Amino acid sequence: AQSVTQPDIHITVSEGASLELRCNYSYGATPYLFWYVQSPGQGLQLLLKYFSGDTLVQGIKGFEAEFKRSQSSFNLRKPSVHWSDAAEYFCAVGNFGNEKLTFGTGTRLTIIP
Amino acid sequence: NAGVTQTPKFRVLKTGQSMTLLCAQDMNHEYMYWYRQDPGMGLRLIHYSVGEGTTAKGEVPDGYNVSRLKKQNFLLGLESAAPSQTSVYFCASSHWGGRAYNEQFFGPGTRLTVL
């Protein structure tokens, strides 16, 4: 069975600082990996996804993520955060032939001035 | 193009009452999903549907029923609400193009409180 771990429940960073949110997955074959963002009181919006090819994927809002098979990781990064990036971030994993995604428990990001 | 919409946005029920949450999508997606979101637990799949007239159980189906009579609508029912069903409910849909990595599109959520 596939599973996702987001080890950081809450992260606080200063505006303008760099960000890395961790995501580790468990799945035997090549997974399909997603990062979603949820602003307060809103639904989830896709930031980026990986399913094959270049292991560094670019997303919206200046985010990127790198798939590292050897570490079973798909960490989300942004070089310089903005106050509007404050939100909850979810990593999710899927696989070929499975119409369901498995979500991590989320990481809440707080931005301080 | 409204995407995925959910009705109602908020609801307060008393224990034992019933209600139906409506999800509608205008993207002609084949797949639809119902999740619940609770603090510290992420999103957990309740039920899902891979097409009109079909439904399947997810991770936490007990106490819920669903129906997909029309391709664009997916209903979630609570027959006898319990306080443990207090949660935020999200509907999502996705397109099946023969590839499982198509993204899911989410609605804005329904906040349900059961007293």
Side-chain angles (χ1 to χ4, degrees):
Chain A
Q2 58 198 29
S3 66
V4 178
T5 301
Q6 293 182 249
D8 303 307
I9 296 173
H10 185 204
I11 285 182
T12 300
V13 300
S14 299
E15 190 168 14
S18 64
L19 171 70
E20 182 169 27
L21 301 182
R22 295 183 292 168
C23 172
N24 293 97
Y25 67 90
S26 174
Y27 180 64
T30 300
Y32 302 143
L33 295 158
F34 305 80
W35 274 101
Y36 283 85
V37 61
Q38 183 183 30
S39 298
Q42 304 294 316
L44 278 72
Q45 180 186 18
L46 182 72
L47 283 176
L48 47 80
K49 63 185 179 185
Y50 169 82
F51 46 89
S52 67
D54 193 346
T55 56
L56 183 64
V57 294
Q58 302 297 319
I60 62 171
K61 305 184 180 185
F63 285 92
E64 66 177 27
E66 187 171 12
F67 171 58
K68 292 186 177 180
R69 184 188 300 276
S70 62
Q71 298 178 17
S72 297
S73 69
F74 188 56
N75 293 350
L76 182 70
R77 301 193 295 247
K78 186 169 184 178
S80 177
V81 298
H82 186 262
W83 64 266
S84 60
D85 293 324
E88 187 146 23
Y89 292 80
F90 292 93
C91 184
V93 64
N95 62 84
F96 182 78
N98 187 347
E99 59 277 1
K100 296 177 286 185
L101 295 181
T102 299
F103 286 83
T105 52
T107 298
R108 184 162 62 93
L109 176 64
T110 297
I111 308 296
I112 56 177
Chain B
N1 192 338
V4 180
T5 58
Q6 293 183 230
T7 309
K9 290 184 169 51
F10 304 93
R11 186 72 185 269
V12 178
L13 291 178
K14 295 181 180 178
T15 297
Q17 287 185 317
S18 63
M19 78 163 294
T20 300
L21 282 67
L22 171 63
C23 175
Q25 53 93 5
D26 61 2
M27 297 174 282
N28 202 34
H29 285 171
E30 294 80 10
Y31 290 2
M32 297 187 74
Y33 309 82
W34 275 108
Y35 294 90
R36 60 176 291 173
Q37 182 180 31
D38 303 291
M41 305 193 74
L43 275 77
R44 292 182 293 170
L45 184 64
I46 304 171
H47 286 282
Y48 65 102
S49 169
V50 300
E52 183 178 323
T54 72
T55 63
K57 294 181 179 179
E59 181 185 355
V60 288
D62 294 342
Y64 304 95
N65 56 77
V66 288
S67 64
R68 182 106 181 262
L69 299 180
K70 294 182 179 180
K71 185 177 184 179
Q72 63 268 34
N73 296 338
F74 194 30
L75 279 62
L76 178 70
L78 286 73
E79 290 186 349
S80 179
S84 61
Q85 295 178 304
T86 293
S87 186
V88 181
Y89 292 85
F90 287 99
C91 177
S93 70
S94 67
H95 170 58
W96 176 252
R99 299 168 180 172
Y101 53 78
N102 290 317
E103 67 182 274
Q104 293 185 13
F105 293 81
F106 283 81
T110 295
R111 185 173 296 275
L112 174 66
T113 301
V114 183
L115 302 175

